[in-house]
């Protein structure tokens, strides 16, 4: 039994909310990266919905080779193994689903209304500051299923961030209700929010997310550069690709890349 996560309380909340995933939750005092544990499990009989939750990661990874920095015990660092029918390209759109699920979890903790937005491809922001990051890594499993390792870093209790993370925030810094910041209920809420969106996503792909995304899209209406492409954020197509509106009104589709803001004052 560890002091920072009570499996019995988690189980009670999981059953009460009818959540299926999270059986089991594997707790780690310290590990290099929970995503590595998820990736290793793909080739074993490990079932869909297993969670690895670490108090400390010594080699936490973000997108594009960055490090994910988190003071031990303050924040949630976890990975979920999901096995879903292919194809492989589903993985990139799934990160939008995870972003919306995290957005819902964050909203449920705050005491005052805030702007909680998904920033394509993998961030969730509160009033323009990053509160959560997503790293999905995928492989084809032994049954040709798509095995997704959904890595989530959610800043929960951190009050201070290192100087290079000044655009970061946490739930505790944003007027969250302290009674709603226990890791057991946050994890159950996240699994619930993921499970609720997944069936429609498996049927219709990212198109199933477009209405919700339109309401919570941080990039919409902002002048952006992604790689060689420039334009105004104009939502997403039904495959979950970012759309940029060009000066002549035409739309450009962006599959992946790092977003830069052309208006210097835009946060993020
Ligand atoms: C990003 O913002 O670039 C994505 C960050 C993802 C961090 C999480 S923490 C749990 C899981 N394990 C990792 O090594 N990374 C993800």
């Amino acid at each position: 039994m560890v002091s920072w996560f009570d499996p019995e309380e988690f189980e009670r909340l999981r059953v009460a909310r009818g959540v299926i995933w999270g059986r089991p939750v594997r707790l780690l005092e310290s590990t290099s990266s929970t995503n590595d544990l998820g990736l290793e499990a793909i080739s074993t009989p490990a079932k869909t919905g297993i969670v690895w939750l670490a108090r400390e990661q010594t080699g936490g990874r973000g997108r594009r080779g960055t490090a994910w920095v988190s003071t031990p015990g303050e924040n949630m660092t976890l990975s979920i193994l999901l096995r879903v029918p292919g194809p492989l390209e589903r993985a990139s759109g799934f990160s939008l689903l995870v972003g919306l699920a995290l957005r819902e979890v964050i909203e449920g903790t705050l005491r005052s209304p805030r702007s909680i937005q998904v920033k394509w491809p993998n961030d969730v922001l509160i009033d323009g500051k990053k509160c959560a990051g997503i790293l999905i890594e995928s492989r084809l499993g032994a049954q040709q299923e798509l095995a997704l390792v959904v890595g989530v870093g959610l800043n929960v209790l951190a009050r201070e961030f290192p100087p290079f993370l000044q655009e970061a925030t946490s739930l505790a810094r944003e007027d969250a209700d302290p009674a709603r910041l226990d890791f057991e209920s946050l994890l159950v809420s996240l699994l619930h929010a993921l499970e609720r969106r997944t069936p429609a996503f498996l049927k219709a792909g990212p198109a199933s997310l477009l209405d919700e995304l339109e309401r919570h899209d941080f990039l919409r209406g902002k002048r952006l550069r992604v790689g060689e492409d420039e334009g105004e954020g104009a939502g997403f197509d039904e495959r979950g690709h970012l759309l940029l509106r060009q000066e002549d009104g035409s739309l450009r589709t962006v599959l992946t890349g790092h977003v830069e803001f052309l208006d210097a004052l835009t946060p993020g």
Side-chain angles (χ1 to χ4, degrees), residues 33-35 57 59-63 66 68 77-79 122-123 130 133-135 151-153:
S33 156
T34 55
N35 264 35
Q57 290 189 125
R61 294 184 273 114
R63 278 183 73 248
T66 57
W68 181 258
T77 49
L78 65 107
S79 301
N122 69 316
D123 298 344
K130 180 161 172 169
I134 301 155
L135 176 68
V152 171

